[in-house]
Amino acid sequence: MSTVHPLLKACLIMDQRINLKWWLHFLLLCLIFGASCGEVRYILPEEMQRGSVIGNVARDLGLKVSELDARRARVVAEGTSQLCELDTASGNLLISQRIDREELCAQATVCTLQYQLLLEDPLQAYSIVLDIADINDNSPVFAAEEIRLDLVESTVLGRRFPLESAHDPDLGTNSVREYKLSPNDHFALEMSTQINGNAYPELVLKKTLDREAQAEHVLKINGIDGGNPVRSGTASIHIRVLDANDNVPAFSQRVYKASVPENSAIGTLIAKLNATDSDEGVYGEITYSFSHLSDKTGGVIEINPVSGEVRVAGVIDYEEASTHELDVQAKDGGGQASHCKLIIDVIDVNDNKPIIEIKSASANVAEDSKPGTMVALINIYDLDTGSSGRVTCTIPQNVPFKFVSEVKNYYMLVTDGILDREPQPEYNITVTATDAGSPPLSSIKVITIVVTDINDNPPTFTQREYNANILENQPVGTFVMRVTAEDIDDGSNAKILYQISKDTKSEVSSFLTINADTGELFTSRLFDYEQSVHFQIKVTARDGGDPPLSTTCTVNAFIKDQNDNAPVVLYPVQTTGFIAEDMVPIEAPRGYLVTKVVAVDADSGHNAWLSYRIIKATRPNLFIVGLHTGEIRTLRAFMEDDEPKQTVVVSVTDNGHESLSATATVSVVIGDGLPVLNELFEFTDEPQESDDLTFYLIIALIAVSSLFILLLSGVFYFKLCRRSYVYRSTTASLPVFPTTYCPPSFTDLSRCGTLLKDERYDSFMTTGSWRGDFRFGSSTDTDTLKQRSAAYQKNTLRRASADRATLKVRAGASHPCYVVK
């Protein structure tokens, strides 16, 4: 969008040659272009008062005024000082410092200032362009308030003498438009134009000079600009009339052109000017000088007054001025002078590194930011021109960020992927800007971006299930165990609170309490193993994020038994005042089962193991009780002097660490005439049985060990005999004949010596076996065996050629073997 400041109207009136219709078309194009590119352009005159309104940025960019302050909107300058500011309350762009077009842009035809309007959350940038219009705020100024000329009285009429132009920093109609000379009889003022189009005044002689009549003339020259109101500058011209100086210095060229690279060393020769004067003596001596030097040229370029050599006198910088246009005067000893123009083009070299300016940067970016989220706005530019001013900006490829440029020289650093704080909480992004000069220059700046955490990870328990053992009868508040969960998020998102899960059954949810900060579990009641041996609760770990995330683990609690229950006698029934009586025949032999004490213990494991002992009896050596069975048997046969009613007190003791016991009183009545049952007759001498069992186990172990050793010996022996017997012929094609293939009645030719020794041998061979080299067990009969073998070999060949069948072993053997006939 574009806005034209009201004061522009005054500027437009200054130049009557500018067509109003053309300006309207231009502003319309600015409006269309600005709206399409997210840019707002304002045209304003220089020298506006501080606090003056340039335009309403919020309205022109379609922004709400309320969001300017909420999004920390601000205006930043691009390579220039901050001359304007944003009023976030109204959306107006205000003048904050004096704007002087001549100071900012010198004699440039177009003077523009580039600014950026930055808004955060999310980060956005809009371009603001200020076109500074010139006003007539400067008067024409002559370089010297007094101009001195020396003319000879013989100077011909019509002779022209160039004068130094007045300098006006303003442009266009506001610059110098005309010169006026004070009234006189001898001189007139005319304008002349240089090759580059600049006009300068010349003093023209209209009437012959007479030194005797008037030796000196004083004139006034006024330089007048075209501004409204008009401004002017004045200088005086002092002319001395001399007797004789017929020739004026003359330059070989009206305009000299030269070039010099920037940053050239002091003393570097730029050009050599040459002017000649035909006069002799002092009138032929020429002195060179600059007629007018601007502030930027002064101290940079100097001229030798004698030789006319122009050299570098200071730091010459292309970025300060790309061209220097100088007026050079050649003046002889008689005061005659002539002028020429020297135009020096400064050649740009790549002497400026790219400049990286961070205009706005969000130090933190949330890890759930979507791709394309802007995190920084960077202004990168190069003061050089041409290829040396073209800048390429890069960042490393292994980061989830990239550059997007929508405005010239401005780069937005945006996210280019999914961020995850847990593996990478921080990025140090190196921004490298490289120009296209030769050699290229580059600049580096590091931007640190911290990835802020979001609650995207639930807590995780170190175990999915925990097992806890709780001794029964422990007091309330006894420590049980600690569950631990971890959260890889940060800050409050990683703060974990523990609680009993609502998924826990209601009847057991109150059995334990948990420390919300540490996860430590404590008992909240007394536990009785006999009532419950196991229960299960669920523990929830919840983080402090928004919204919170949670996870659950299972705690299996096992109640461990303690010896807190004494044995209980079930039989015989123990009641006050009554004890059941057990009858036993008087003829009962030794080891006869009288009765059995039956007791139980509510505990478990070792605590429930019961042992029985007789602690009191009417006859101490009459009965015995089984240590673990509780069976009461007779130790001997009954005698006549034994009481007919015997009382036995049995102690029942458990196996706990601190054992508990109970007693059972057994009443036994010896009855006469009762039958003796054989199935109840068994003497159980437990210690003897234990000794017998041990003895049997030892015998069994010895027997098994002996059999195992015997088996190993047999296997080793058979393998040794088999390896000794197996015959391998020197001819690879012959078969091998194991010993086990021969019938028991045959003679063994191996070294095992299991066959009978006999002098009569016969051999049965398969086809082709005659080629083998056989060795027989008896060395004394070797010749006889060889003869018989030859005969059998012939017979075998004859049979082999007939049917090619394998002969069978005599006596039904299925494999070739040597036997005794």
Side-chain angles (χ1 to χ4, degrees), residues 250-272:
F251 282 99
S252 59
Q253 298 175 223
R254 291 292 305 274
V255 177
Y256 289 85
K257 290 187 176 181
S259 62
V260 60
E262 65 172 328
N263 301 322
S264 294
I266 295 176
T268 300
L269 179 65
I270 300 175
K272 180 177 175 58

Side-chain angles (χ1 to χ4, degrees), residues 311-333:
R311 296 181 180 273
V312 176
V315 177
I316 186 166
D317 190 357
Y318 176 89
E319 286 69 40
E320 289 290 332
S322 60
T323 302
H324 296 275
E325 185 174 327
L326 306 172
D327 290 325
V328 183
Q329 174 182 274
K331 188 175 183 180
D332 62 18

